[in-house]
Amino acid sequence: MKSMRVAVVGGGIGGLTAAGLLAREGHDVTLFEGGPHLGGKAQSVQVGGLRLDTGPTLLTLPDVVRGLFESLGAADLLPPFLELEAQCTYHFADGCGFVAHKDLERTADSAARLRPSEGKGVHGFYAEAEHIWRAAGEPYLEAPFEGMAGFMSRVMRRGMVAVARGMKLSTLDDLARAHFKTEHMWQFVGRFATYAGASPYAASAAYALVPHIERAYGVHHVRGGIGALVDALGAAVARLGVKVHLNTRVHYQREGHGYRVGPSGGEERFDSVVVNADPLDKLGRGSEPLSLSGHVLLLEVDGRPALPHHTVLFSRDYRREFDELFAGQLAADPTVYFCNPAATDDTVAPPDKTGLFVMVNAPALPREPAAAERAAAEWELHGERVKAQMFDKLLTHYPELRGRMRVVAQRSPVDLAALGAPGGSIYGFLPHGRFGPFRRPRIRGGTPGLFFAGGGTHPGGGVPLVMLSGQFAARMASAHLRSGG
């Protein structure tokens, strides 16, 4: 195929993926990134000998990542993956605990210690989650979502049972209650809605495919963190000849059969454009409700306390927490998640230090400019309140941390908004409702030759899904270029 010029706007994981694949096909690819670093939300910081991610902290579907690097001819650049057997530790407000393991029997045994019947519930829940994955998850990830007709044809190939299962799905919370009897396990299941910035009381039970994916394909840590994966992807696209311009904000406009792309006064002509940015505003959907944002603390801890790799400290009243968040309020009692990568990876911290990524959910900022400006100004006070809540919950469950923690960096919804996330929302589109995932912005843009990639479009957030969006965008751009535009 004749070499064509392609512009990629945005250097997150989706944009890097699309750029590399299009360059691998022989196209002349230029990537424009508005900030000083590649990676989008998947950034990392290095301070005092610590290396900590500021965005995603775990990896699932590792074969998607390995397959991408193989497609780029860059398998030699890929950092090692370390699989976790104890995938996540959960602490509840009443002092009870639960551990989700790679091994299903160990997970069931842990649940049975909460209540004997919950062990049986684990088996029933994960069996149904696997059915949901086969019936809806696999067809959703097989190809770009271009409408229900194509999706349903992929579902139909799995038989009428798959269709029937899809039609019966209610909310994730309803599914949890169908299999479990305790508030503890309802919270455990409900937590997976937050992987899309959603509420378990309004998001589809289809999100049960997430715990299935984690159990079936593993929860992995990338040696050096997700930031090391971004570095490897950046090196791969550079080796393929992609021209990368950092600190370069550009605009794009349709012109003839192509586009003019570049900073004002420096636009150049390209045959196609892949935009790695949230598409809601570009698609005229800027008034739609947004998924949750978050507040992140990066902590330096003296010594090496015996903390799990991934831990969730639940609130007392989960439903109230989500009611508050989606009413635009900070939670009075937030659920806290923390990641301790040094539990698995001795390259991310010196022997006498530990680095913690700590996060709570937060409401997205208002979209109306004046209201957004007021909300941003209030975050200086909000940040102190949230930090106090996070420290209090950490010390309640791990009192050995007292006097040993220092904040070395933080990221608020205001910071996420500055990176281009609408309202500081982590995932942009809010997929509430039974058919919420199918209303997610599509990869194909509104004009020929324009395509979107990233967590704000199909298939969604998380490193492997964002890579899939970049692969789909590259595939569709390539087909457009072959057709002559």
Side-chain angles (χ1 to χ4, degrees), residues 110-191:
S110 184
R113 287 192 283 274
L114 294 168
R115 182 170 173 172
S117 64
E118 300 297 59
K120 181 179 179 181
V122 162
H123 287 283
F125 169 73
Y126 276 96
E128 185 157 1
E130 181 174 4
H131 288 311
I132 291 170
W133 165 247
R134 302 297 179 198
E138 286 182 334
Y140 189 68
L141 300 185
E142 277 179 358
F145 184 79
E146 297 266 67
M148 288 301 293
F151 171 75
M152 288 306 298
S153 71
R154 297 193 292 275
V155 174
M156 290 289 289
R157 289 199 291 270
R158 288 154 172 83
M160 289 305 298
V161 173
V163 177
R165 285 186 185 278
M167 295 305 293
K168 289 193 301 182
L169 291 178
S170 54
T171 69
L172 188 58
D173 181 65
D174 289 336
L175 182 66
R177 292 169 188 270
H179 290 281
F180 298 111
K181 305 299 182 185
T182 63
E183 181 75 30
H184 308 95
M185 296 305 288
W186 298 342
Q187 286 186 310
F188 160 68
V189 174
R191 178 215 171 201

Side-chain angles (χ1 to χ4, degrees), residues 82-117:
L82 308 173
E83 186 172 0
L84 308 182
E85 203 295 312
Q87 296 182 333
C88 191
T89 298
Y90 297 88
H91 292 288
F92 303 95
D94 63 359
C96 292
F98 164 70
V99 181
H101 292 269
K102 167 73 171 175
D103 180 80
L104 188 62
E105 292 302 328
R106 295 187 70 184
T107 301
D109 288 345
S110 184
R113 287 192 283 274
L114 294 168
R115 182 170 173 172
S117 64

Side-chain angles (χ1 to χ4, degrees), residues 1-2 4 6 14 41 83 96 99 112 121 134 139 154 169 190 195 206-207 277 282 284 296 343 345 379 406 444:
M1 181 171 57
K2 176 186 173 184
M4 310 285 272
V6 182
K41 298 186 187 77
E83 186 172 0
C96 292
V99 181
R134 302 297 179 198
R154 297 193 292 275
L169 291 178
Y195 280 45
Y207 285 100
K282 293 293 183 182
V296 171
D345 181 359
W379 253 101
R406 289 178 294 281
R444 192 181 301 277

Side-chain angles (χ1 to χ4, degrees), residues 117-339:
S117 64
E118 300 297 59
K120 181 179 179 181
V122 162
H123 287 283
F125 169 73
Y126 276 96
E128 185 157 1
E130 181 174 4
H131 288 311
I132 291 170
W133 165 247
R134 302 297 179 198
E138 286 182 334
Y140 189 68
L141 300 185
E142 277 179 358
F145 184 79
E146 297 266 67
M148 288 301 293
F151 171 75
M152 288 306 298
S153 71
R154 297 193 292 275
V155 174
M156 290 289 289
R157 289 199 291 270
R158 288 154 172 83
M160 289 305 298
V161 173
V163 177
R165 285 186 185 278
M167 295 305 293
K168 289 193 301 182
L169 291 178
S170 54
T171 69
L172 188 58
D173 181 65
D174 289 336
L175 182 66
R177 292 169 188 270
H179 290 281
F180 298 111
K181 305 299 182 185
T182 63
E183 181 75 30
H184 308 95
M185 296 305 288
W186 298 342
Q187 286 186 310
F188 160 68
V189 174
R191 178 215 171 201
F192 292 99
T194 65
Y195 280 45
S199 164
Y201 308 101
S204 167
Y207 285 100
L209 61 82
V210 179
H212 165 72
I213 287 172
E214 292 191 349
R215 189 196 68 79
Y217 302 100
V219 170
H220 301 259
H221 169 78
V222 179
R223 186 177 293 279
I226 298 295
L229 186 65
V230 171
D231 292 343
L233 193 52
V237 303
R239 194 161 73 181
L240 288 166
V242 175
K243 296 181 284 292
V244 176
H245 299 281
L246 300 176
N247 294 309
T248 307
R249 297 189 177 275
V250 301
H251 57 88
Y252 54 93
Q253 183 174 354
R254 179 76 172 165
E255 181 181 85
H257 292 290
Y259 289 84
R260 299 288 295 178
V261 184
S264 295
E267 300 90 343
E268 300 178 40
R269 189 187 183 284
F270 292 86
D271 298 292
S272 184
V273 180
V274 176
V275 178
N276 182 194
D278 191 280
L280 284 174
D281 286 337
K282 293 293 183 182
L283 297 176
R285 298 173 58 178
S287 62
E288 294 186 16
L290 295 170
S291 63
L292 294 173
S293 183
H295 189 73
V296 171
L297 299 180
L298 301 183
L299 305 182
E300 179 187 77
V301 180
D302 291 332
R304 286 287 181 92
L307 305 175
H309 192 117
H310 296 293
T311 306
V312 175
L313 313 174
F314 279 115
S315 63
R316 295 178 185 82
D317 188 335
Y318 215 37
R319 185 181 289 274
R320 178 185 174 186
E321 180 180 355
F322 283 96
D323 286 346
E324 290 170 337
L325 291 170
F326 283 101
Q329 306 165 15
L330 290 168
D333 176 27
T335 292
V336 174
Y337 159 76
F338 73 83
C339 176

